[in-house]
Amino acid sequence: NAGVTQTPKFRVLKTGQSMTLLCAQDMNHEYMYWYRQDPGMGLRLIHYSVGEGTTAKGEVPDGYNVSRLKKQNFLLGLESAAPSQTSVYFCASSYGAPKVNEQFFGPGTRLTVL
Amino acid sequence: AQSVTQLGSHVSVSEGALVLLRCNYSSSVPPYLFWYVQYPNQGLQLLLKYTSAATLVKGINGFEAEFKKSETSFHLTKPSAHMSDAAEYFCAVSPIGNQFYFGTGTSLTVIP
């Protein structure tokens, strides 16, 4: 099993450009999450999904959109990138309710917006 | 509201010394609690989790944590630090639901 994979690993964008980050998991997890990690701020939840076709906002959703068309994939989109979106992005997945299980994380995508 | 506070953004210990990383939480319901470790340029890996069973939880690599409800704490310890323990450590809380709340992390340095 590959676990949680993220594509791409690195990306440099210019302000105003758009891009999509892809997260895939092969563990049949119901829940999937997108976080951003910034120095001194830990991980902050951007959006999450509790099942195919459903998404919800997290702590810092502005400037991002997501889609979960297939259970195994969770896409994070930046429509018009800004320098404030320079960060490391992590995808995670977990089994769903009623048990609360740990999250499994991908290796991260390092995004720089110039 | 849920939140996690990790006291000390940087902790240094000598090799062989006790490791103590502090985590306090606030939660409106009895929470599930987690410790994750992040090595450089990698994602987060689960060290251990508390899910309302035994209050002393043992994890991987010799780490353990004790849930103290009266102190709202879930501190991480290891009796003897190893060079390979140098990493960033995150405490996380999850109420019964969908979301996880992470602390800001503690960077552990092990001095030879």
Side-chain angles (χ1 to χ4, degrees):
Chain A
N1 288 349
V4 180
T5 58
Q6 293 183 232
T7 309
K9 289 185 168 53
F10 303 93
R11 186 73 186 268
V12 178
L13 290 178
K14 295 181 180 178
T15 297
Q17 287 185 318
S18 64
M19 77 164 294
T20 300
L21 282 67
L22 170 64
C23 176
Q25 53 94 4
D26 61 2
M27 296 173 282
N28 201 33
H29 285 166
E30 287 294 329
Y31 293 1
M32 297 186 75
Y33 309 79
W34 275 107
Y35 292 91
R36 60 178 290 172
Q37 183 179 28
D38 302 291
M41 305 191 74
L43 274 75
R44 292 183 291 168
L45 182 64
I46 304 171
H47 287 279
Y48 65 100
S49 167
V50 300
E52 182 178 318
T54 71
T55 63
K57 294 180 180 180
E59 181 184 357
V60 289
D62 294 342
Y64 305 94
N65 57 75
V66 289
S67 64
R68 183 110 181 259
L69 298 179
K70 294 182 179 181
K71 185 177 183 179
Q72 63 268 33
N73 295 338
F74 195 29
L75 278 63
L76 178 70
L78 287 72
E79 290 187 349
S80 180
S84 60
Q85 294 177 304
T86 293
S87 187
V88 181
Y89 292 85
F90 287 99
C91 177
S93 68
S94 70
Y95 292 107
K99 273 184 85 172
V100 176
N101 289 280
E102 68 269 24
Q103 296 179 311
F104 293 80
F105 283 83
T109 294
R110 189 173 295 274
L111 175 65
T112 301
V113 182
L114 303 175
Chain B
Q2 283 67 233
S3 69
V4 177
T5 301
Q6 290 185 239
L7 295 176
S9 58
H10 298 276
V11 171
S12 294
V13 300
S14 297
E15 191 174 15
L18 172 72
V19 175
L20 171 61
L21 305 182
R22 300 177 186 274
C23 173
N24 288 87
Y25 69 91
S26 66
S27 176
S28 55
V29 298
Y32 294 93
L33 293 158
F34 306 82
W35 275 100
Y36 286 87
V37 61
Q38 184 182 32
Y39 299 102
N41 299 314
Q42 294 186 25
L44 279 69
Q45 303 172 32
L46 181 71
L47 270 180
L48 49 81
K49 64 180 179 181
Y50 167 77
T51 56
S52 75
T55 57
L56 182 62
V57 181
K58 294 188 183 299
I60 61 171
N61 301 337
F63 284 93
E64 62 182 36
E66 186 173 9
F67 172 67
K68 292 187 176 180
K69 185 177 179 180
S70 61
E71 299 177 7
T72 61
S73 68
F74 191 56
H75 301 332
L76 181 70
T77 61
K78 181 175 180 178
S80 177
H82 191 273
M83 295 298 293
S84 60
D85 295 328
E88 186 97 18
Y89 292 80
F90 292 93
C91 181
V93 61
S94 180
I96 299 174
N98 309 327
Q99 296 194 34
F100 293 74
Y101 300 87
F102 285 82
T104 53
T106 298
S107 177
L108 176 66
T109 300
V110 182
I111 304 167

